[in-house]
Amino acid sequence: MQYMLLIFDCDRPEPGDPRFPEALARVNAFADECRRRGAFVAAHPLQGEHTATTVAVRDGKTLITDGPFLETHEHLGGAYVLDCRDLDEALELAALCPMAAQGTIEVRPLAGVPGLDHRTATGA
């Protein structure tokens, strides 16, 4: 079963920050562990919420707003998609995620929707 690990409220040093090499090494080690277990599907950090644009359609009109739609105190920093044998493995990997030490990791199973096309541009 696939799970999404949503990463909230973690400090992510940027390239050039003296903490960056160590943080990058921890994140890469985590991804390598997920790959070793055959669980790694995808992972992507997000740029800051100041870069967000929100799109909504109401009564046939497209509404575009700068910034995130939801007002929240939690910052969504990125996500992993993992293919785990069960929730226990997903929770175990979430605890190993280096961002769990300073932020929080929300673990959610991906919904299986019959007939929904999940193919990528390459057809995988």
Side-chain angles (χ1 to χ4, degrees):
M1 168 147 235
Q2 289 191 340
Y3 294 86
M4 183 168 283
L5 278 58
L6 299 161
I7 303 164
F8 289 98
D9 294 331
C10 65
D11 176 41
R12 183 177 67 221
E14 297 296 326
D17 184 312
R19 301 171 300 153
F20 181 76
E22 182 184 342
L24 183 62
R26 286 194 318 271
V27 169
N28 284 334
F30 173 68
D32 286 344
E33 174 63 16
C34 293
R35 286 183 190 97
R36 185 188 68 73
R37 294 178 182 218
F40 187 88
V41 175
H44 297 284
L46 296 173
Q47 292 189 18
E49 59 274 350
H50 68 280
T51 66
T53 303
T54 302
V55 177
V57 178
R58 300 293 182 266
D59 298 321
K61 294 181 182 174
T62 302
L63 308 170
I64 299 174
T65 307
D66 290 338
F69 175 72
L70 296 175
E71 301 234 355
T72 179
H73 297 290
E74 296 177 329
H75 164 73
L76 177 61
Y80 285 89
V81 176
L82 303 179
D83 192 359
C84 300
R85 68 179 171 275
D86 55 24
L87 178 61
D88 289 338
E89 182 180 32
L91 296 175
E92 178 185 341
L93 286 169
L96 292 176
C97 182
M99 286 72 76
Q102 51 189 265
T104 57
I105 311 297
E106 180 180 328
V107 178
R108 294 177 67 178
L110 297 185
V113 179
L116 184 63
D117 186 352
H118 291 283
R119 291 176 298 168
T120 64
T122 61

